[in-house]
Amino acid sequence: MIHLRQATPDDFPAIIGLIENAAAWLADKDTDQWQRPWPDRAARDARVMGGIEHRLTWVEERDGRVAATVTLTTAVQRELWAEHEPDAPALYLHRLVVHRDHAGHGMGAEIIDWAEARGPGLLRIDVWKTNESLHKYYLRQGFEFVGMSRLSGYPSAALFHRKMVTVG
């Protein structure tokens, strides 16, 4: 069972470590995901810190260490979702990363389910275009492939959504 807590600035190095751990693992896979920070390290780090400072980023700890992270927002990236109902009520997942030491145990699926309980309408994520294994993962998690964004030069433009289950 997961027990996510809001990330603090002290978690920044651990979150960057999760991203770099995933990038190292992806290096010999058939994808260029995260092989260089997009569009550069400073911009990536600013996005990560911005998520923390705006209280949008969450972490899961295991054995006293950050084992996973996710950033959640209701703010739509209009240019990215322009052709795919950008005004639909949705919760957007960003940087859902599970450390490889904890991969394969369902932590990512638990985080997705946890996030689903916090938002309206749709759960959405944009996924790196070249990471077809990750596309298949989200399909297995009940997401539907919506399409590719036409946003030029954006590497994470494979768009997926999942209809949130209403409890009650």
Side-chain angles (χ1 to χ4, degrees), residues 16-156:
I16 294 297
L18 287 174
I19 293 168
E20 291 175 354
N21 174 261
W25 178 76
L26 288 166
D28 67 347
K29 308 293 181 244
D30 194 20
T31 180
D32 61 348
Q33 181 171 348
W34 293 350
Q35 294 313 294
R36 67 175 188 82
W38 188 89
D40 57 42
R41 184 170 308 280
R44 185 226 29 214
D45 290 358
R47 277 193 313 277
V48 171
M49 185 55 83
I52 293 168
E53 290 172 341
H54 290 101
R55 303 176 54 85
L56 302 172
T57 300
W58 300 81
V59 294
E60 171 71 8
E61 289 184 318
R62 297 283 163 95
D63 303 320
R65 297 178 61 185
V66 173
T69 187
V70 66
T71 298
L72 306 173
T73 183
T74 55
V76 61
Q77 289 176 275
R78 289 201 167 280
E79 307 82 28
L80 187 62
W81 289 88
E83 298 176 22
H84 305 285
E85 301 181 30
D87 295 321
L91 182 65
Y92 295 85
L93 288 88
H94 299 283
R95 293 178 299 282
L96 171 56
V97 187
V98 175
H99 192 282
R100 297 307 306 161
D101 290 349
H102 301 281
H105 302 288
M107 188 182 297
E110 285 185 76
I111 292 170
I112 291 167
D113 290 343
W114 174 88
E116 184 177 63
R118 282 154 178 73
L122 296 169
L123 192 59
R124 287 181 161 175
I125 191 162
D126 55 280
V127 178
W128 209 267
K129 291 185 285 192
T130 63
N131 193 339
E132 292 184 16
S133 294
L134 193 55
H135 300 184
K136 291 174 186 172
Y137 172 81
Y138 283 108
L139 291 171
R140 287 192 309 272
Q141 298 307 315
F143 284 76
E144 298 172 45
F145 176 67
V146 175
M148 291 292 207
S149 173
R150 292 190 187 179
L151 184 61
S152 179
Y154 191 68
S156 190

